[in-house]
Amino acid sequence: MLEVIFQALVFPGLLFTVAMAFWFEYIERKVTARVQSRVGPLYTGPRGLLQPVVDFLKLLGKEELEPRGADKLLLRLAPVLAVTIPIFGMAYIPVASTSMPLNFQGDVLLVFLLLALSTLTIAIAGYSAITPYTSLGVGRLLIQYSMYESVFALCLAAVVVQASSVSLEGIVRYQAEHAPLAIYQPIGFIISLIALLAKLEKRPFDLPHAKQEIAAGWLTEFSGRNLAYMRLYSDLSMTWGISLVTVFYLGGPLGPGYPVLGPPAGFFWFGLKALLVSVVITLVSASSTRVRTVGLARRFWGRLFPLMLLQLSLAFLLRWLV
């Protein structure tokens, strides 16, 4: 029982997930600044490491402004619910070993449910403000969701098919016996990174909160504590999304020395793989320009979806051949 509580509240649950979220935000800001010839976080903490934490705490103390006519209950409740979903999802991620106390047979299905609930929560948050910018931002969000979510789900489904398992532990053990699934399914791995960019609303898929067009989109009317939670939600979603790609395609904690050293080696390899994934998606985001909605549909429905169907078909063959 104590082990389960520790996993939910400390590692890899609440405290660890929040710390990782701030770490990935720092990496994103530093890499983006380097690509765009800027400075990025520098003074708060060692080389600006604590800047994301200070920004979050600063927003908690800011004044909250709520638009007239907004649904105040949903406006205050939605950010809290949004934050809990990726934290809850991270509690099932095999971070340091192939088996975690909360894992169960079929937890991949829970992952699909949480992916849908996270977008639903953001839609509720945006519509609760009832202003033109937030409504337009949520409309773009739902359009984008209808395109990337099916592609991302197919990426995860292809892994499930080849591994013949609907549990995260089974998927990691399959890769321990064979090799990281990114080797067998390179198309799915690359497409999952593209879909993850769309899910996180990073360039070139930042249509729901395009600042040059619709202010901050669905985030426009949030301020103070609510804005702090929504910014934290974005960082937590990046942490959870990167962790999913790391587990499904890169073997999670598996790596040289893991069979001998166990969890310490597993944590090192998981952290290194997650860091590499975060740097890759940040480099793509920092060097890309925003696509139009028409271009979004052309890329996902016209190109990525057929490729992912091909990868899914190949996964059925690999299930029997490997």
Side-chain angles (χ1 to χ4, degrees), residues 1 17 30 69 86 100 126 128-129 144 151 167 179 220 235 255-256 265 283 302 305 315:
M1 183 64 181
T17 306
K30 292 296 285 188
M100 304 297 282
S128 64
Q144 187 161 299
V151 174
S167 71
T220 301
D235 295 336
L283 286 173
F305 193 79

Side-chain angles (χ1 to χ4, degrees), residues 1-77:
M1 183 64 181
L2 291 178
E3 186 178 8
V4 173
I5 295 175
F6 178 83
Q7 182 183 2
L9 298 181
V10 182
F11 180 83
L14 177 62
L15 296 180
F16 172 76
T17 306
V18 172
M20 287 288 287
F22 289 138
W23 165 247
F24 281 132
E25 181 186 344
Y26 172 77
I27 293 297
E28 180 184 24
R29 292 168 70 172
K30 292 296 285 188
V31 172
T32 301
R34 180 60 62 90
V35 172
Q36 299 177 356
S37 299
R38 296 186 288 111
V39 176
L42 185 61
Y43 298 108
T44 307
R47 300 190 63 84
L49 182 61
L50 298 179
Q51 190 63 53
V53 181
V54 173
D55 289 344
F56 174 74
L57 296 176
K58 180 175 64 176
L59 279 175
L60 287 178
K62 292 290 186 179
E63 180 183 4
E64 287 190 55
L65 301 176
E66 297 175 345
R68 185 178 303 171
D71 189 323
K72 295 185 178 181
L73 176 61
L74 291 179
L75 193 65
R76 298 170 184 174
L77 184 61

Side-chain angles (χ1 to χ4, degrees), residues 155-176:
C155 293
L156 304 186
V159 171
V160 169
V161 167
Q162 182 173 342
S164 300
S165 175
V166 289
S167 71
L168 295 172
E169 180 181 351
I171 291 172
V172 175
R173 290 189 182 278
Y174 177 88
Q175 295 176 84

Side-chain angles (χ1 to χ4, degrees), residues 10 56 87 118 121 176 200 220:
V10 182
F56 174 74
I87 293 176
S118 62
T121 305
L200 299 176
T220 301

Side-chain angles (χ1 to χ4, degrees), residues 191 295 297-308:
I191 292 178
R298 186 183 301 115
R299 284 168 174 79
F300 277 96
W301 289 119
R303 299 174 186 173
L304 299 185
F305 193 79
L307 283 174
M308 204 53 235

Side-chain angles (χ1 to χ4, degrees), residues 2-320:
L2 291 178
E3 186 178 8
V4 173
I5 295 175
F6 178 83
Q7 182 183 2
L9 298 181
V10 182
F11 180 83
L14 177 62
L15 296 180
F16 172 76
T17 306
V18 172
M20 287 288 287
F22 289 138
W23 165 247
F24 281 132
E25 181 186 344
Y26 172 77
I27 293 297
E28 180 184 24
R29 292 168 70 172
K30 292 296 285 188
V31 172
T32 301
R34 180 60 62 90
V35 172
Q36 299 177 356
S37 299
R38 296 186 288 111
V39 176
L42 185 61
Y43 298 108
T44 307
R47 300 190 63 84
L49 182 61
L50 298 179
Q51 190 63 53
V53 181
V54 173
D55 289 344
F56 174 74
L57 296 176
K58 180 175 64 176
L59 279 175
L60 287 178
K62 292 290 186 179
E63 180 183 4
E64 287 190 55
L65 301 176
E66 297 175 345
R68 185 178 303 171
D71 189 323
K72 295 185 178 181
L73 176 61
L74 291 179
L75 193 65
R76 298 170 184 174
L77 184 61
V80 179
L81 291 177
V83 166
T84 60
I85 291 175
I87 293 176
F88 183 69
M90 278 295 295
Y92 294 88
I93 296 295
V95 173
S97 64
T98 58
S99 178
M100 304 297 282
L102 293 182
N103 289 138
F104 62 92
Q105 187 64 32
D107 51 11
V108 172
L109 302 178
L110 178 63
V111 169
F112 285 109
L113 175 62
L114 293 177
L115 288 173
L117 286 179
S118 62
T119 303
L120 176 62
T121 305
I122 295 304
I124 293 174
Y127 277 135
S128 64
I130 319 178
T131 61
Y133 285 137
T134 57
S135 299
L136 185 57
V138 171
R140 289 187 174 191
L141 173 69
L142 295 177
I143 292 173
Q144 187 161 299
Y145 170 82
S146 67
M147 298 177 189
Y148 76 75
E149 190 67 17
S150 57
V151 174
F152 193 59
L154 283 177
C155 293
L156 304 186
V159 171
V160 169
V161 167
Q162 182 173 342
S164 300
S165 175
V166 289
S167 71
L168 295 172
E169 180 181 351
I171 291 172
V172 175
R173 290 189 182 278
Y174 177 88
Q175 295 176 84
E177 297 172 0
H178 299 88
L181 283 163
I183 297 176
Y184 298 107
Q185 301 186 21
I187 298 175
F189 175 60
I190 295 173
I191 292 178
S192 69
L193 295 180
I194 298 174
L196 182 59
L197 280 170
K199 175 175 176 55
L200 299 176
E201 300 175 35
K202 306 291 186 184
R203 287 186 303 269
F205 308 117
D206 58 339
L207 290 167
H209 63 268
K211 293 180 176 59
Q212 295 88 343
E213 301 171 8
I214 51 175
W218 58 268
L219 199 59
T220 301
E221 301 299 338
F222 288 92
S223 59
R225 183 174 63 252
N226 288 336
L227 180 58
Y229 286 142
M230 297 310 296
R231 285 173 57 91
L232 180 60
Y233 160 77
S234 298
D235 295 336
L236 291 170
S237 294
M238 180 164 62
T239 303
W240 188 40
I242 290 172
S243 299
L244 286 176
V245 173
T246 302
V247 169
F248 274 79
Y249 281 100
L250 300 178
L254 301 176
Y258 172 74
V260 178
L261 299 177
F267 178 73
F268 170 79
W269 287 114
F270 182 92
L272 180 60
K273 295 172 187 177
L275 177 62
L276 292 177
V277 172
S278 69
V279 170
V280 168
I281 64 175
T282 301
L283 286 173
V284 174
S285 176
S287 57
S288 302
T289 57
R290 183 182 309 119
V291 300
R292 297 182 303 164
T293 305
V294 175
L296 185 70
R298 186 183 301 115
R299 284 168 174 79
F300 277 96
W301 289 119
R303 299 174 186 173
L304 299 185
F305 193 79
L307 283 174
M308 204 53 235
L309 288 178
L310 174 62
Q311 181 67 88
L312 186 62
S313 302
L314 293 175
F316 278 100
L317 295 176
L318 291 170
R319 176 179 180 178
W320 305 109

